[in-house]
Amino acid sequence: MDSIGQGFWDAWGLIISLDPDLYEIIFLSLQVTVSAVIIASVIGLPMGAWLAVNRFWSRRYVIAVLNALMGLPPVVVGLFVYMLLSRAGPLGGFGLLFSPSAMIIAQVIIITPLIASISHQTIRDLWAEYHDLLISMNATRTQRITALLWDGKRALLTATLAGFGRAIGEVGAIMIVGGNIEHATRVLTTAIALETGKGNFAFAMGLGLVLIVLAVIINLLIHIIGKTERASTW
Amino acid sequence: MVSILPLEMKAATASMRGKKLVGPVNFTLETKGFTIVVGPNGAGKTTFLRLMHGLQRCAGGQMNWAVPADEAQQKQAFVFQSPIMMRRSVVDSLAYPLRLRGVGKAEARTQARECAARFGIGPLLESWAPMLSGGEKQKLSLARALIIKPEVLFLDEPCANIDGRATREIETLLKTAQAAGTRIVMSTHDMGQARRLGEDIVFMLKGMVHEHSPAEMFFSTPLTAEAKAFTNGDIVE
Ligand SMILES: Nc1ncnc2c1ncn2[C@@H]1O[C@H](COP(=O)(O)OP(=O)(O)O)[C@@H](O)[C@H]1O
Ligand SMILES: [Mg+2]
């Protein structure tokens, strides 16, 4: 009990004293995850919209695969990316293994299906609502997708935040492909795992607090966006 | 400017998954007039309007505008029975059809403001369209349909879900639009409204155009027993 209280106060100390090691880790975490979220959104949002407004024979299979990918254990994604990027792997020549790029790739694979799937549901519902109007107004295919993405922007923002939440808290895949190397690929989650193992609770807790704060902020944002959705003015 | 009218339909049908919903219909939409489509529930009024507008595919027979179909499509608008509100403000909803046609943002908003004023929704410009009352939504739908100055306007029971006052306002707006040269085709289940607005009446029954006559004739001396019963307010199936 006492060690928890002590760890908490020590963690506070590290945070408010702007401990450079702590902030380096926080900064890398944000850098990796924000990059992954941007890439995954650029792929996933239009992909979901496209799946929602186009009918083609394999559509159901693509959606089924997407949903299956959403349930992929991150550790397996990590293993997969590891094999791709390792010296002997097909992409080994780029020398990306144990770099932030490798972690971004793994996170993109983990959250793109999530973002595409939420985007697909959102756009599908909005398309059902708008269908007759947009057809009646002669909107081109591109104009339709643009209108749906724009008018669904709140729900889509929620999708990207959900992706952020999933990616920032992910540990398995990141550990495998990043290697948790100090000053290079050590991020919040991998550092917590390591410091806890070493019995260095203050540092682990400081990192944990930051993760919790990030999670709370994200869920608050999702909640606020949901409220403006219902009583909207923007 | 070349008119898209008349619209000629020869044995045109509309079907859904192999089941015929409307037709075969022989019908000409003439260049002048105010056409009212009446008939009991399920007679095919909505499907008929959607067929003419191109929202429902013509499954059999022929349907020809005076100009190629894609050109004709550009000069029509449709007002739905339950208004489809985009998740935008009133002014942005009104500007949208103009933006689709390549009008610049500032110009589209200016026109939207003028249009809103004409349709009595000027004070609601910045309101969120899905939050409007039923009558306001339908006025916005009408304004949004007319802002592109269509040659033909279809309306599917636009007053079915709104109160008397909003209905009167819509009727006045429709007469103004007609005076400005818009060809109107509207379905209704309100016989009073059919009498007030109709110049020619299409009476539908069981997916067929049962009768098409000038309004005075339809209401005074209907051609068929079913039309007579319908105008008398009897139940027709
Ligand atoms: N999407 C649809 N699928 C199957 N049947 C339909 C569909 N839409 C309309 N119908 C049927 O077509 C007929 C005509 O419907 P509708 O055009 O809505 O009539 P009205 O507008 O006169 O009430 C009805 O029998 C209705 O059940
Ligand atoms: Mg109907």
Side-chain angles (χ1 to χ4, degrees), chain A residues 13 29 36 105 168 170 184 205:
Chain A
S29 267
I105 292 170
I168 194 95
E170 203 286 315
M205 261 182 145

Side-chain angles (χ1 to χ4, degrees), chain B residues 45-57:
Chain B
K45 303 182 292 295
T46 300
T47 309
F48 182 51
L49 293 175
R50 291 172 63 94
L51 177 64
M52 285 192 276
H53 183 48
L55 274 173
Q56 174 79 42
R57 205 171 56 83

Side-chain angles (χ1 to χ4, degrees), chain A residues 27-41:
Chain A
F27 185 72
L28 183 65
S29 267
L30 289 174
Q31 200 186 357
V32 166
T33 300
V34 168
S35 307
V37 167
I38 289 171
I39 296 168
S41 298

Side-chain angles (χ1 to χ4, degrees), chain B residues 203 205-206 210-211 222-231 236-237:
Chain B
F203 174 56
L205 198 59
K206 298 189 178 109
H210 201 77
E211 182 168 340
L223 296 176
T224 59
E226 290 89 346
K228 194 179 188 73
F230 186 75
T231 53
V236 182
E237 281 169 301

Side-chain angles (χ1 to χ4, degrees), chain A:
Chain A
M1 272 295 100
D2 210 39
S3 72
I4 291 184
Q6 190 58 44
F8 183 82
W9 284 116
D10 292 352
W12 245 146
L14 291 171
I15 291 171
I16 55 178
S17 69
L18 302 178
D19 180 80
D21 285 348
L22 185 76
Y23 279 87
E24 187 188 357
I25 290 169
I26 295 172
F27 185 72
L28 183 65
S29 267
L30 289 174
Q31 200 186 357
V32 166
T33 300
V34 168
S35 307
V37 167
I38 289 171
I39 296 168
S41 298
V42 168
I43 301 169
L45 294 179
M47 184 176 164
W50 193 80
L51 283 173
V53 302
N54 285 292
R55 311 250 152 243
F56 52 95
W57 67 272
S58 58
R59 200 175 73 105
R60 291 170 48 161
Y61 302 100
V62 175
I63 292 165
V65 168
L66 210 60
N67 287 333
L69 285 176
M70 231 180 3
L72 266 188
V75 178
V76 177
V77 173
L79 174 64
F80 171 72
V81 174
Y82 185 98
M83 294 195 310
L84 274 183
L85 299 182
S86 68
R87 194 70 56 80
L91 303 177
F94 296 102
L96 292 177
L97 197 60
F98 303 133
S99 74
S101 301
M103 301 196 287
I104 292 173
I105 292 170
Q107 287 196 344
V108 166
I109 294 174
I110 292 167
I111 63 175
T112 298
L114 176 75
I115 291 179
S117 178
I118 300 180
S119 160
H120 169 245
Q121 286 166 32
T122 303
I123 300 295
R124 188 193 53 198
D125 295 350
L126 200 57
W127 177 230
E129 206 178 309
Y130 280 14
H131 178 273
D132 286 352
L133 182 69
L134 293 181
I135 301 286
S136 163
M137 285 179 170
N138 262 310
T140 64
R141 192 175 290 250
T142 316
Q143 286 173 329
R144 288 176 215 166
I145 293 192
T146 313
L148 293 168
L149 287 174
W150 180 251
D151 287 13
K153 58 184 177 292
R154 284 175 211 82
L156 297 177
L157 189 56
T158 308
T160 63
L161 286 174
F164 183 90
R166 174 129 197 238
I168 194 95
E170 203 286 315
V171 55
I174 293 305
M175 186 76 93
I176 294 176
V177 303
N180 194 23
I181 301 165
E182 197 169 9
H183 305 307
T185 58
R186 184 161 300 171
V187 291
L188 285 168
T189 49
T190 56
I192 290 175
L194 180 78
E195 302 298 339
T196 307
K198 289 201 303 196
N200 195 353
F201 295 119
F203 202 73
M205 261 182 145
L207 298 162
L209 279 177
V210 174
L211 258 187
I212 290 169
V213 168
L214 284 172
V216 168
I217 289 175
I218 287 159
N219 284 295
L220 267 178
L221 282 176
I222 290 176
H223 178 75
I224 291 167
I225 291 164
K227 260 174 110 170
T228 59
E229 174 76 38
R230 283 183 291 280
S232 233
T233 42
W234 53 283

Side-chain angles (χ1 to χ4, degrees), chain B residues 3-7 27-37 48-49 52 65 75-78 142 145-146 149-155 174-186 197-202 212-213:
Chain B
S3 172
I4 65 170
L5 290 164
L7 165 67
F27 179 79
T28 304
L29 188 64
E30 298 290 356
T31 47
K32 295 268 175 296
F34 192 127
T35 304
I36 293 279
V37 181
F48 182 51
L49 293 175
M52 285 192 276
W65 295 88
K75 296 183 180 172
Q76 306 169 36
F78 200 104
L142 184 58
L146 287 172
K149 302 189 174 67
E151 193 182 334
V152 182
L153 171 65
F154 297 99
L155 304 101
L174 287 176
K175 282 181 187 152
T176 310
Q178 189 200 11
T182 309
R183 179 71 170 87
I184 297 175
V185 185
M186 171 175 140
L197 298 174
E199 290 179 9
D200 58 312
I201 309 287
V202 173
H212 183 197
S213 341

